[in-house]
Amino acid sequence: MIEQDDFDINTRLHTIVRGEDEAAMVESVGLALVKLPDVLNRLKPDIMIVHGDRFDALALATSAALMNIRILHIEGGEVSGTIDDSIRHAITKLAHYHVCCTRSAEQHLISMCEDHDRILLAGCPSYDKLLSAKNKDYMSIIRMWLGDDVKPKDYIVALQHPVTTDIKHSIKMFELTLDALISFNKRTLVLFPNIDAGSKEMVRVMRKKGIEHHPNFRAVKHVPFDQFIQLVAHAGCMIGNSSCGVREVGAFGTPVINLGTRQIGRETGENVLHVRDADTQDKILQALHLQFGKQYPCSKIYGDGNAVPRILKFLKSIDLQEPLQKKFCFPPVKDNISQDIDHILETLSALAVDLGGTNLRVAIVSMKGEIVKKYTQFNPKTYEERINLILQMCVEAAAEAVKLNCRILGVGISTGGRVNPREGIVLHSTKLIQEWNSVDLRSPLSDTLHLPVWVDNDGNCAALAERKFGQGKGLENFVTLITGTGIGGGIVHQHELIHGSSFCAAELGHIVVSLDGPDCSCGSHGCIEAYASGMALQREAKKLHDEDQLLVEGMSVPKDEAVGALHLIQAAKLGNAKAQSILRTAGTALGLGVVNILHTMNPSLVILSGVLASHYIHTVKDVIRQQALSSVQDVDVVVSDLVEPALLGAASMVLDYTTRRIY
């Protein structure tokens, strides 16, 4: 291609060592470093233009920097998700001048202490060609590469490379991709992977599946750029992990499925659907069904078609007489506090708020899940009193945190009811918390404390607590059930919390287990909560007490004390047959709900949380043995060992996000 463009070629170097593994990549860089000094001594260039983030470009930039040759780096400052990131940023530190493609890339370069005066935001040079290519004759190109019977928008372009930091997973993902493409049954142009470590194994996968001889596939090693443009511009979809998919293809609005983590940090247009955990064929197949044949608006994130003139003008402006020594623009540093004992001992923490039906609690929670200090007040009945008390308690806790040497990173709130966590709004609350509908919790707290605020349902918070601190740690799929005043829960699927389309997922207390059961607070009847919640047990305890059938020998209830669930449990322990029957019925209802959950979600673990969990666990396991399908009977059901799941879950929203864990 370089020869076809009539460049005056002074020297040809062979530097790629065959082998397609990590060692071959290192040897290729080393071979280039050995050969380049002689070439650069002969050519004596004023400026070396280095493009992108490939390992061979790193050898070129290293040689030029050590030989005092000015370097202009194109496409620096971008973020992808593999070893290419490290190589790209290493070249940035060696380069004297920078041409970047996006505003974010420009900001990244500035953040990396590069001189703003030596950075040009030009756009991507390839967009100069892309934006003028769409209307050229393309049918002959499509027929040449895919066959005479293929129509525009009715074929797929697949281009997938190994991820050098996780080769084994790359190969597995490529195998799943090919399986999905075979099942999807559309004509597909498959390009061979690049020469990075792992490519040899990926080619073996192609040959093992007979891709080169399959009637629906055309497997090729190279397509000339002008023709490749037309092929992706008129494809029904592009799939893989090439930067081309997330960068160049946006110019045409062609649907793209980006697989895995290789381009995870790239800016993308709305035409790109990310499948980060491409760990099943069905997931990739579903993405193909969602994307194939769509047409999206053309994206100009990476350029407007005028990059080359800007770059030429920038090149001409470079003063070859100015000092060669590169300068970095470090931000001002006020005081060096790294040796300050108070700074070293400072504990990163979160303010956690738990809004229960009875109490309002605020706690300072450390990164390790330790409750440093806790404050408890009765939950007021009106909105005005409640919001004022929350603000007052949080302000006091934040002030106390300073004395305790805790650095508060943010505020997490656990509350009953249906919550929109994106907006920090309680949409609709339970009857236990009055005047608590359509309440914006994020704004007043954030405005008062000047901290970020996260809000979620108490059941979801319990699941988050288990994921970070409890028995759900490291598990991909599990369900948490809270047994307290009401019954709630949270579902973690593929490491992520499920909220549902209207933020109503995991209302597990309202799974119906009997068509003619007792009335529930939700307005229905026969729900788990109507049988197994603290309120339900209190209702049954009062009935027994009114009929003088609750108290047994060794029991008493003071006149000024309300009869509650704990009295029922105490009576059952002391041999009260009717109390035992009520608890057994409650445990059976909960067990039937768990069976429904096992059949619906098929989690690897069910965690019972809350004050009643230990009283139900054995009955629940018995019901599973009797009622569940044999395929889920081995799923473990355990009692949570967390003392404060709501507070820990509220804290985990803050701690996970501020330590860069996706929430």
Side-chain angles (χ1 to χ4, degrees):
M1 291 175 69
I2 292 169
E3 288 169 346
Q4 288 170 10
D5 284 344
D6 293 327
F7 276 94
D8 181 12
I9 300 171
N10 179 279
T11 304
R12 286 176 170 82
L13 289 181
H14 179 78
T15 62
I16 301 300
V17 176
R18 303 304 297 179
E20 290 81 37
D21 58 15
E22 294 97 331
M25 291 167 65
V26 177
E27 289 168 5
S28 296
V29 173
L31 185 57
L33 289 170
V34 170
K35 292 184 175 183
L36 279 167
D38 179 58
V39 176
L40 296 178
N41 269 329
R42 281 192 288 108
L43 290 177
K44 293 188 170 23
D46 294 309
I47 296 174
M48 179 73 73
I49 297 178
V50 180
H51 168 261
D53 49 32
R54 303 293 300 149
F55 58 82
D56 39 0
L58 178 61
L60 196 63
T62 303
S63 300
L66 291 172
M67 296 184 71
N68 292 323
I69 298 169
R70 298 171 197 274
I71 301 168
L72 174 76
H73 184 208
I74 297 178
E75 294 185 11
E78 296 182 20
V79 179
S80 50
T82 65
I83 190 64
D84 293 353
D85 270 347
S86 300
I87 293 173
R88 188 186 312 110
H89 300 330
I91 296 172
T92 289
K93 303 322 294 178
L94 294 169
H96 303 82
Y97 307 96
H98 312 275
V99 173
C100 56
C101 301
T102 69
R103 183 72 63 185
S104 291
E106 180 185 37
Q107 291 303 313
H108 292 157
L109 290 173
I110 294 169
S111 298
M112 291 163 69
C113 306
E114 297 301 316
D115 187 346
H116 200 175
D117 292 336
R118 294 190 172 195
I119 301 171
L120 171 68
L121 175 57
C124 181
S126 60
Y127 264 60
D128 291 23
K129 210 162 192 177
L130 296 172
L131 295 176
S132 61
K134 186 77 184 277
N135 297 321
K136 293 181 180 177
D137 173 45
Y138 55 86
M139 282 308 302
S140 60
I141 296 171
I142 293 174
R143 292 191 189 105
M144 178 172 68
W145 290 99
L146 287 144
D148 294 334
D149 57 334
V150 178
K151 298 176 182 178
K153 296 294 177 186
D154 199 36
Y155 62 89
I156 296 168
V157 176
L159 178 52
Q160 199 157 329
H161 302 304
V163 177
T164 56
T165 49
D166 194 353
I167 294 171
K168 187 176 179 181
H169 181 64
S170 303
I171 296 161
K172 178 64 177 173
M173 187 166 63
F174 186 51
E175 192 170 359
L176 293 171
T177 303
L178 293 178
D179 288 339
L181 288 168
I182 291 168
S183 299
F184 197 64
N185 199 30
K186 287 288 181 183
R187 191 67 55 83
T188 302
L189 180 70
V190 180
L191 281 88
F192 277 66
N194 64 20
I195 60 167
D196 282 354
S199 59
K200 191 163 51 178
E201 289 83 353
M202 291 177 73
V203 172
R204 283 200 197 105
V205 170
M206 287 176 65
R207 288 178 176 151
K208 176 184 170 186
K209 294 187 177 293
I211 296 300
E212 290 168 289
H213 306 291
H214 194 289
N216 259 358
F217 288 83
R218 301 290 184 270
V220 299
K221 292 187 176 178
H222 172 68
V223 180
F225 184 66
D226 287 345
Q227 296 176 30
F228 184 72
I229 288 172
Q230 299 301 331
L231 289 169
V232 295
H234 299 93
C237 179
M238 182 174 181
I239 186 169
N241 62 5
S242 168
S243 61
C244 169
V246 297
R247 290 171 55 97
E248 283 83 355
V249 178
F252 310 117
T254 301
V256 172
I257 299 168
N258 178 47
L259 301 174
T261 60
R262 191 170 184 267
Q263 307 296 338
I264 198 67
R266 294 272 191 197
E267 296 172 78
T268 63
E270 59 183 287
N271 64 310
V272 179
L273 175 65
H274 296 283
V275 185
R276 285 180 293 177
D277 299 319
D279 49 5
T280 66
Q281 177 186 333
D282 287 345
K283 195 181 289 187
I284 300 170
L285 197 57
Q286 184 66 30
L288 283 164
H289 284 294
L290 285 171
Q291 284 288 76
F292 186 79
K294 285 186 177 179
Q295 181 60 48
Y296 290 92
C298 297
S299 167
K300 292 187 177 180
I301 292 174
Y302 285 96
D304 60 2
N306 297 300
V308 171
R310 293 188 185 111
I311 295 170
L312 290 174
K313 184 178 178 182
F314 185 59
L315 272 169
K316 291 174 182 176
S317 72
I318 292 174
D319 181 3
L320 298 177
Q321 303 305 315
E322 69 179 356
L324 186 65
Q325 177 60 50
K326 179 174 176 175
K327 293 182 180 178
F328 297 100
C329 298
F330 294 107
V333 178
K334 293 180 181 178
D335 295 309
N336 183 1
I337 60 170
S338 61
Q339 296 304 313
D340 187 315
I341 189 65
D342 290 333
H343 178 73
I344 293 169
L345 296 177
E346 187 177 53
T347 305
L348 297 180
S349 308
L351 271 189
V353 180
D354 176 30
L355 275 154
T358 306
N359 292 322
L360 171 57
R361 301 182 304 156
V362 174
I364 302 167
V365 182
S366 75
M367 192 69 76
K368 294 179 180 179
E370 298 165 348
I371 295 179
V372 180
K373 187 155 187 177
K374 183 169 65 176
Y375 309 79
T376 304
Q377 298 274 5
F378 284 110
N379 193 346
K381 299 298 182 185
T382 67
Y383 163 78
E384 203 73 42
E385 291 175 315
R386 186 178 301 121
I387 199 74
N388 286 335
L389 182 58
I390 293 171
L391 291 172
Q392 177 191 327
M393 291 175 72
C394 285
V395 168
E396 288 174 5
E400 184 68 19
V402 176
K403 298 176 185 176
L404 295 170
N405 211 28
C406 293
R407 180 180 164 207
I408 301 298
L409 301 173
V411 183
I413 303 175
S414 164
T415 179
R418 189 163 61 96
V419 175
N420 178 344
R422 297 175 195 160
E423 305 294 332
I425 294 173
V426 181
L427 300 172
H428 177 75
S429 186
T430 63
K431 291 181 180 179
L432 295 173
I433 308 177
Q434 299 168 12
E435 296 186 21
W436 209 237
N437 298 329
S438 302
V439 175
D440 177 2
L441 278 175
R442 177 174 293 161
S443 298
L445 274 163
S446 184
D447 291 346
T448 302
L449 298 169
H450 307 292
L451 289 169
V453 177
W454 288 266
V455 187
D456 213 330
N457 165 268
D458 52 6
N460 290 335
C461 284
L464 291 174
E466 296 293 345
R467 185 180 73 177
K468 186 168 182 66
F469 302 113
Q471 297 183 69
K473 196 170 185 178
L475 293 183
E476 187 175 7
N477 304 296
F478 70 90
V479 173
T480 299
L481 263 165
I482 305 177
T483 59
T485 308
I487 300 287
I491 299 169
V492 172
H493 180 62
Q494 294 180 348
H495 300 293
E496 297 299 329
L497 190 65
I498 302 298
H499 283 101
S501 58
S502 58
F503 313 108
C504 200
E507 286 290 350
L508 306 179
H510 300 291
I511 295 175
V512 176
V513 291
S514 173
L515 295 177
D516 55 356
D519 292 340
C520 181
S521 61
C522 69
S524 183
H525 52 265
C527 301
I528 298 174
E529 189 169 290
Y531 285 101
S533 66
M535 289 189 301
L537 297 185
Q538 183 181 41
R539 180 192 65 223
E540 297 301 318
K542 284 181 177 178
K543 281 183 185 177
L544 289 181
H545 191 256
D546 291 344
E547 296 168 1
D548 291 329
Q549 296 184 20
L550 176 66
L551 302 182
V552 294
E553 189 176 345
M555 266 190 79
S556 64
V557 179
K559 289 183 179 179
D560 58 345
E561 186 178 315
V563 174
L566 293 178
H567 296 111
L568 186 78
I569 292 168
Q570 185 185 6
K573 285 181 177 178
L574 292 172
N576 186 322
K578 292 198 173 183
Q580 289 171 346
S581 175
I582 291 167
L583 278 180
R584 193 160 45 249
T585 301
T588 301
L590 186 65
L592 290 172
V594 172
V595 169
N596 286 331
I597 293 166
L598 295 178
H599 291 169
T600 307
M601 296 301 300
N602 191 25
S604 56
L605 179 69
V606 176
I607 303 169
L608 300 186
S609 179
V611 292
L612 301 173
S614 60
H615 303 292
Y616 289 146
I617 183 71
H618 297 299
T619 307
V620 168
K621 288 184 174 182
D622 288 342
V623 174
I624 291 171
R625 278 193 293 270
Q626 296 163 15
Q627 301 284 342
L629 293 172
S630 59
S631 55
V632 297
Q633 286 191 9
D634 291 332
V635 174
D636 205 6
V637 181
V638 299
V639 174
S640 172
D641 51 14
L642 297 180
V643 178
E644 297 282 6
L647 286 172
L648 291 176
S652 79
M653 290 190 286
V654 178
L655 302 175
D656 278 350
Y657 187 86
T658 51
T659 53
R660 299 297 181 265
R661 192 189 188 291
I662 294 173
Y663 166 65

